[in-house]
mmCIF file of all heavy atoms in Angstrom:
data_model
loop_
_atom_site.group_PDB
_atom_site.id
_atom_site.type_symbol
_atom_site.label_atom_id
_atom_site.label_comp_id
_atom_site.label_asym_id
_atom_site.label_seq_id
_atom_site.Cartn_x
_atom_site.Cartn_y
_atom_site.Cartn_z
ATOM 1 N N THR A 82 95.765 127.007 29.544
ATOM 2 C CA THR A 82 94.859 126.921 28.378
ATOM 3 C C THR A 82 93.714 127.936 28.476
ATOM 4 O O THR A 82 92.934 128.077 27.535
ATOM 5 C CB THR A 82 94.258 125.511 28.258
ATOM 6 O OG1 THR A 82 93.628 125.169 29.498
ATOM 7 C CG2 THR A 82 95.332 124.483 27.939
ATOM 8 N N ILE A 83 93.612 128.615 29.620
ATOM 9 C CA ILE A 83 92.545 129.592 29.834
ATOM 10 C C ILE A 83 93.070 130.991 29.510
ATOM 11 O O ILE A 83 94.209 131.321 29.837
ATOM 12 C CB ILE A 83 92.057 129.560 31.302
ATOM 13 C CG1 ILE A 83 91.510 128.178 31.656
ATOM 14 C CG2 ILE A 83 90.979 130.610 31.541
ATOM 15 C CD1 ILE A 83 91.153 128.030 33.124
ATOM 16 N N GLY A 84 92.232 131.804 28.885
ATOM 17 C CA GLY A 84 92.637 133.168 28.558
ATOM 18 C C GLY A 84 93.034 133.965 29.790
ATOM 19 O O GLY A 84 92.460 133.785 30.863
ATOM 20 N N LEU A 85 94.031 134.843 29.625
ATOM 21 C CA LEU A 85 94.520 135.712 30.706
ATOM 22 C C LEU A 85 95.022 134.907 31.904
ATOM 23 O O LEU A 85 94.915 135.331 33.055
ATOM 24 C CB LEU A 85 93.408 136.677 31.173
ATOM 25 C CG LEU A 85 92.721 137.507 30.071
ATOM 26 C CD1 LEU A 85 91.552 138.285 30.658
ATOM 27 C CD2 LEU A 85 93.709 138.460 29.418
ATOM 28 N N TYR A 86 95.616 133.742 31.631
ATOM 29 C CA TYR A 86 95.955 132.815 32.711
ATOM 30 C C TYR A 86 96.976 133.372 33.703
ATOM 31 O O TYR A 86 96.906 133.075 34.894
ATOM 32 C CB TYR A 86 96.438 131.469 32.155
ATOM 33 C CG TYR A 86 97.733 131.511 31.381
ATOM 34 C CD1 TYR A 86 98.954 131.350 32.028
ATOM 35 C CD2 TYR A 86 97.742 131.694 30.004
ATOM 36 C CE1 TYR A 86 100.151 131.376 31.332
ATOM 37 C CE2 TYR A 86 98.926 131.730 29.297
ATOM 38 C CZ TYR A 86 100.134 131.569 29.950
ATOM 39 O OH TYR A 86 101.308 131.607 29.253
ATOM 40 N N ARG A 87 97.919 134.189 33.238
ATOM 41 C CA ARG A 87 98.930 134.717 34.173
ATOM 42 C C ARG A 87 98.309 135.633 35.217
ATOM 43 O O ARG A 87 98.567 135.510 36.416
ATOM 44 C CB ARG A 87 100.036 135.456 33.414
ATOM 45 C CG ARG A 87 100.968 134.538 32.660
ATOM 46 C CD ARG A 87 102.237 135.250 32.193
ATOM 47 N NE ARG A 87 103.072 134.328 31.441
ATOM 48 C CZ ARG A 87 103.883 133.436 32.008
ATOM 49 N NH1 ARG A 87 103.953 133.354 33.328
ATOM 50 N NH2 ARG A 87 104.607 132.633 31.259
ATOM 51 N N ASN A 88 97.487 136.541 34.747
ATOM 52 C CA ASN A 88 96.826 137.460 35.677
ATOM 53 C C ASN A 88 95.862 136.717 36.595
ATOM 54 O O ASN A 88 95.753 137.024 37.787
ATOM 55 C CB ASN A 88 96.087 138.547 34.886
ATOM 56 C CG ASN A 88 95.670 139.706 35.772
ATOM 57 O OD1 ASN A 88 96.487 140.261 36.498
ATOM 58 N ND2 ASN A 88 94.402 140.063 35.727
ATOM 59 N N LYS A 89 95.174 135.729 36.032
ATOM 60 C CA LYS A 89 94.229 134.954 36.834
ATOM 61 C C LYS A 89 94.954 134.141 37.906
ATOM 62 O O LYS A 89 94.483 134.038 39.045
ATOM 63 C CB LYS A 89 93.385 134.055 35.934
ATOM 64 C CG LYS A 89 92.364 134.822 35.110
ATOM 65 C CD LYS A 89 91.571 133.916 34.188
ATOM 66 C CE LYS A 89 90.533 134.706 33.391
ATOM 67 N NZ LYS A 89 89.757 133.869 32.455
ATOM 68 N N ALA A 90 96.096 133.564 37.568
ATOM 69 C CA ALA A 90 96.876 132.806 38.546
ATOM 70 C C ALA A 90 97.335 133.715 39.680
ATOM 71 O O ALA A 90 97.297 133.348 40.864
ATOM 72 C CB ALA A 90 98.070 132.153 37.870
ATOM 73 N N LYS A 91 97.756 134.921 39.323
ATOM 74 C CA LYS A 91 98.191 135.897 40.330
ATOM 75 C C LYS A 91 97.042 136.218 41.280
ATOM 76 O O LYS A 91 97.219 136.265 42.504
ATOM 77 C CB LYS A 91 98.665 137.171 39.619
ATOM 78 C CG LYS A 91 99.373 138.178 40.506
ATOM 79 C CD LYS A 91 99.908 139.347 39.684
ATOM 80 C CE LYS A 91 100.983 138.873 38.701
ATOM 81 N NZ LYS A 91 101.569 140.012 37.956
ATOM 82 N N ASN A 92 95.853 136.424 40.718
ATOM 83 C CA ASN A 92 94.683 136.732 41.549
ATOM 84 C C ASN A 92 94.300 135.558 42.446
ATOM 85 O O ASN A 92 93.895 135.757 43.596
ATOM 86 C CB ASN A 92 93.496 137.123 40.676
ATOM 87 C CG ASN A 92 93.570 138.550 40.176
ATOM 88 O OD1 ASN A 92 94.235 139.392 40.779
ATOM 89 N ND2 ASN A 92 92.903 138.833 39.074
ATOM 90 N N VAL A 93 94.399 134.340 41.927
ATOM 91 C CA VAL A 93 94.052 133.154 42.717
ATOM 92 C C VAL A 93 94.951 133.057 43.951
ATOM 93 O O VAL A 93 94.482 132.794 45.066
ATOM 94 C CB VAL A 93 94.149 131.862 41.867
ATOM 95 C CG1 VAL A 93 94.123 130.622 42.759
ATOM 96 C CG2 VAL A 93 93.008 131.800 40.863
ATOM 97 N N ILE A 94 96.239 133.294 43.763
ATOM 98 C CA ILE A 94 97.178 133.223 44.887
ATOM 99 C C ILE A 94 96.892 134.336 45.903
ATOM 100 O O ILE A 94 96.873 134.103 47.119
ATOM 101 C CB ILE A 94 98.632 133.290 44.382
ATOM 102 C CG1 ILE A 94 98.973 132.039 43.569
ATOM 103 C CG2 ILE A 94 99.601 133.453 45.542
ATOM 104 C CD1 ILE A 94 98.828 130.725 44.330
ATOM 105 N N LYS A 95 96.634 135.538 45.419
ATOM 106 C CA LYS A 95 96.291 136.649 46.325
ATOM 107 C C LYS A 95 94.999 136.332 47.082
ATOM 108 O O LYS A 95 94.877 136.600 48.278
ATOM 109 C CB LYS A 95 96.110 137.947 45.527
ATOM 110 C CG LYS A 95 97.393 138.568 45.005
ATOM 111 C CD LYS A 95 97.044 139.846 44.251
ATOM 112 C CE LYS A 95 98.280 140.503 43.651
ATOM 113 N NZ LYS A 95 97.904 141.677 42.820
ATOM 114 N N LEU A 96 94.027 135.792 46.368
ATOM 115 C CA LEU A 96 92.738 135.422 46.958
ATOM 116 C C LEU A 96 92.939 134.399 48.079
ATOM 117 O O LEU A 96 92.340 134.520 49.153
ATOM 118 C CB LEU A 96 91.849 134.869 45.845
ATOM 119 C CG LEU A 96 90.440 134.355 46.131
ATOM 120 C CD1 LEU A 96 89.581 134.539 44.882
ATOM 121 C CD2 LEU A 96 90.445 132.893 46.503
ATOM 122 N N CYS A 97 93.794 133.421 47.845
ATOM 123 C CA CYS A 97 94.062 132.391 48.857
ATOM 124 C C CYS A 97 94.662 133.014 50.109
ATOM 125 O O CYS A 97 94.272 132.666 51.235
ATOM 126 C CB CYS A 97 95.019 131.336 48.301
ATOM 127 S SG CYS A 97 94.295 130.312 47.016
ATOM 128 N N ARG A 98 95.612 133.913 49.920
ATOM 129 C CA ARG A 98 96.265 134.555 51.065
ATOM 130 C C ARG A 98 95.249 135.334 51.901
ATOM 131 O O ARG A 98 95.250 135.259 53.131
ATOM 132 C CB ARG A 98 97.370 135.491 50.559
ATOM 133 C CG ARG A 98 98.034 136.335 51.633
ATOM 134 C CD ARG A 98 98.606 135.522 52.765
ATOM 135 N NE ARG A 98 99.724 134.710 52.346
ATOM 136 C CZ ARG A 98 100.230 133.701 53.058
ATOM 137 N NH1 ARG A 98 99.684 133.394 54.228
ATOM 138 N NH2 ARG A 98 101.254 133.012 52.620
ATOM 139 N N ILE A 99 94.348 136.056 51.239
ATOM 140 C CA ILE A 99 93.331 136.832 51.962
ATOM 141 C C ILE A 99 92.362 135.907 52.693
ATOM 142 O O ILE A 99 92.003 136.158 53.850
ATOM 143 C CB ILE A 99 92.572 137.766 50.992
ATOM 144 C CG1 ILE A 99 93.522 138.859 50.479
ATOM 145 C CG2 ILE A 99 91.359 138.394 51.671
ATOM 146 C CD1 ILE A 99 92.948 139.710 49.368
ATOM 147 N N LEU A 100 91.936 134.836 52.032
ATOM 148 C CA LEU A 100 91.019 133.894 52.685
ATOM 149 C C LEU A 100 91.643 133.308 53.945
ATOM 150 O O LEU A 100 90.979 133.159 54.981
ATOM 151 C CB LEU A 100 90.624 132.767 51.716
ATOM 152 C CG LEU A 100 89.679 133.137 50.580
ATOM 153 C CD1 LEU A 100 89.430 131.919 49.697
ATOM 154 C CD2 LEU A 100 88.363 133.686 51.103
ATOM 155 N N ILE A 101 92.926 132.980 53.879
ATOM 156 C CA ILE A 101 93.617 132.400 55.044
ATOM 157 C C ILE A 101 93.816 133.444 56.135
ATOM 158 O O ILE A 101 93.515 133.195 57.315
ATOM 159 C CB ILE A 101 94.983 131.816 54.608
ATOM 160 C CG1 ILE A 101 94.769 130.607 53.688
ATOM 161 C CG2 ILE A 101 95.815 131.422 55.824
ATOM 162 C CD1 ILE A 101 96.017 130.158 52.950
ATOM 163 N N ASP A 102 94.294 134.622 55.741
ATOM 164 C CA ASP A 102 94.637 135.647 56.740
ATOM 165 C C ASP A 102 93.415 136.316 57.370
ATOM 166 O O ASP A 102 93.437 136.646 58.555
ATOM 167 C CB ASP A 102 95.510 136.738 56.093
ATOM 168 C CG ASP A 102 96.896 136.233 55.734
ATOM 169 O OD1 ASP A 102 97.259 135.123 56.175
ATOM 170 O OD2 ASP A 102 97.623 136.950 55.004
ATOM 171 N N GLU A 103 92.355 136.521 56.570
ATOM 172 C CA GLU A 103 91.231 137.309 57.063
ATOM 173 C C GLU A 103 89.960 136.501 57.354
ATOM 174 O O GLU A 103 89.091 136.957 58.092
ATOM 175 C CB GLU A 103 90.903 138.424 56.054
ATOM 176 C CG GLU A 103 92.058 139.410 55.854
ATOM 177 C CD GLU A 103 91.701 140.540 54.909
ATOM 178 O OE1 GLU A 103 90.499 140.816 54.729
ATOM 179 O OE2 GLU A 103 92.639 141.140 54.346
#
Side-chain angles (χ1 to χ4, degrees):
T82 54
I83 300 174
L85 307 174
Y86 65 89
R87 287 194 182 279
N88 194 52
K89 288 178 179 179
K91 190 175 296 184
N92 281 337
V93 166
I94 293 301
K95 287 180 182 175
L96 178 152
C97 291
R98 174 56 67 195
I99 292 171
L100 288 178
I101 293 167
D102 291 348
E103 298 183 22

